[in-house]
């Protein structure tokens, strides 16, 4: 995992609150998490040739990403334009380990 303060990364303007006793809000951090493995699921017409499956058109219609993150957690993200659905599920590593044992 890599964490960077966006203010420092983009050399933000000096804050007038830097001086004195005011509490300073440094803004959000950007966190980069490595993906160990995963898969992408698309829905395409059955007449779509294999060499045309990976396209923005199909990704914009329906896409499901199942990603194993660096800590062993699984992120499942579904985007479905037809139902205007965005669903994100995170399965912690410990829960995944229990499921594979039983």
């Amino acid at each position: 995992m890599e964490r960077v303060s966006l203010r420092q990364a983009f050399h933000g303007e000096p804050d007038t609150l830097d001086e004195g006793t005011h509490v300073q809000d440094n803004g959000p951090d950007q966190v980069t998490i490595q993906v160990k493995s995963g898969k992408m699921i698309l829905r395409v017409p059955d007449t779509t040739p294999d060499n045309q499956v990976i396209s923005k058109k199909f990704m914009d219609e329906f896409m499901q990403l199942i990603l194993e993150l660096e800590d062993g957690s699984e992120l499942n993200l579904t985007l479905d334009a037809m139902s205007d659905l965005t669903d994100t599920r995170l399965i912690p590593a410990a829960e995944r380990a229990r499921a594979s044992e039983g």
Side-chain angles (χ1 to χ4, degrees), residues 42-93:
L42 303 173
R43 292 186 182 155
V44 302
D46 60 353
T47 56
T48 305
D50 287 351
N51 64 351
Q52 294 177 16
V53 167
I54 300 176
S55 71
K56 182 171 175 15
K57 174 186 175 187
F58 297 128
M59 289 179 194
D60 286 347
E61 291 176 10
F62 178 90
M63 177 172 51
Q64 182 178 13
L65 300 173
I66 302 170
L67 307 174
E68 182 183 0
L69 305 180
E70 64 185 33
D71 69 350
S73 298
E74 181 179 280
L75 174 64
N76 190 327
L77 170 66
T78 303
L79 306 169
D80 186 351
M82 285 193 61
S83 64
D84 207 21
L85 168 76
T86 301
D87 183 41
T88 304
R89 296 181 189 174
L90 180 67
I91 304 169

Side-chain angles (χ1 to χ4, degrees), residues 90-100:
L90 180 67
I91 304 169
E95 190 176 320
R96 289 184 71 212
R98 282 193 303 271
S100 67

Side-chain angles (χ1 to χ4, degrees), residues 3-65:
R3 186 177 192 132
V4 175
S5 166
L6 288 178
R7 170 172 252 179
Q8 290 174 352
F10 294 107
H11 308 291
E13 296 285 324
D15 192 333
T16 56
L17 298 178
D18 282 347
E19 299 175 11
T21 59
H22 294 93
V23 175
Q24 179 180 347
D25 178 13
N26 290 326
D29 287 353
Q30 177 173 300
V31 179
T32 302
I33 299 169
Q34 294 294 320
V35 175
K36 290 170 59 175
S37 66
K39 60 184 170 183
M40 176 173 60
I41 300 167
L42 303 173
R43 292 186 182 155
V44 302
D46 60 353
T47 56
T48 305
D50 287 351
N51 64 351
Q52 294 177 16
V53 167
I54 300 176
S55 71
K56 182 171 175 15
K57 174 186 175 187
F58 297 128
M59 289 179 194
D60 286 347
E61 291 176 10
F62 178 90
M63 177 172 51
Q64 182 178 13
L65 300 173

